[in-house]
Amino acid sequence: MRVFKDVGLVEQLGSGMSRILKAYDKDIFEISDHFIKVIFPFAISDMEGMIANGDENGDENGDEIIILNVLTEKPDITAKKISEKTGFSTRKISRIMKKMKEKGEIMRMGSDRKGYWIINR
C-alpha cells in the first residue's frame, strides 16, 4: 500500500488488511500472477434467512424486507448495528428507512437514543 500511496494511486493508508486478518485466516486469499482473489466465508443459515425473506439480487424491496426482519428481532436497534448485521452501509439503511417511514411502514417511538421501532406492515 505504501507504494500505491507514494505514486498517488490511493489517498491514504487504511487498516482494511489488518482488520481482515484479525477476523479471518490467511486461507481466504488466493494469489496468482495477476490477481488476488479473496473469498469471505459466511454462515449459510444467515444467508438462507436473508434470501428467504428478501430478494437475493439486492433490490430495494428485498433490502426493506431484510431491514424489517432485523427490526422485528430487535426494535431498539441502531442504524449502525443494522449495518453490522446486514452488511449495508449506514447511509443505505438511512435512505431505505426514510422511505419506509414516509410510506408509513415503520414508525419511531421515543428518542433516538432510547426509542424503538414500530412496524406497521
Side-chain angles (χ1 to χ4, degrees):
M1 278 305 296
R2 180 66 193 192
V3 172
F4 291 126
K5 181 165 176 37
D6 290 345
V7 297
L9 293 175
V10 296
E11 294 177 7
Q12 65 183 10
L13 300 177
S15 61
M17 288 303 292
S18 60
R19 292 171 66 190
I20 290 170
L21 291 172
K22 283 181 186 175
Y24 297 97
D25 191 42
K26 292 178 183 178
D27 296 341
I28 66 169
F29 296 96
E30 292 179 17
I31 301 172
S32 67
D33 290 338
H34 302 288
F35 299 98
I36 297 176
K37 182 177 180 181
V38 183
I39 301 172
F40 292 101
F42 58 88
I44 294 296
S45 61
D46 292 344
M47 286 304 293
E48 285 174 347
M50 292 171 78
I51 291 170
N53 297 314
D55 184 359
E56 66 270 29
N57 296 324
D59 72 355
E60 196 147 298
N61 189 42
D63 294 344
E64 284 182 12
I65 293 169
I66 292 169
I67 291 173
L68 283 171
N69 288 336
V70 173
L71 293 177
T72 301
E73 289 175 19
K74 189 161 174 46
D76 62 338
I77 195 167
T78 63
K80 184 177 180 182
K81 293 289 183 185
I82 295 172
S83 173
E84 292 170 6
K85 195 165 181 90
T86 62
F88 301 157
S89 70
T90 53
R91 184 176 171 130
K92 178 177 181 174
I93 290 165
S94 297
R95 185 183 80 254
I96 292 170
M97 291 180 78
K98 180 181 177 189
K99 287 181 183 179
M100 291 167 62
K101 284 191 279 187
E102 289 170 355
K103 291 191 283 186
E105 295 176 348
I106 60 173
M107 184 172 70
R108 182 74 176 177
M109 295 298 292
S111 68
D112 287 345
R113 188 167 171 228
K114 294 190 177 192
Y116 58 94
W117 293 97
I118 295 177
I119 299 170
N120 297 321
R121 257 190 173 180

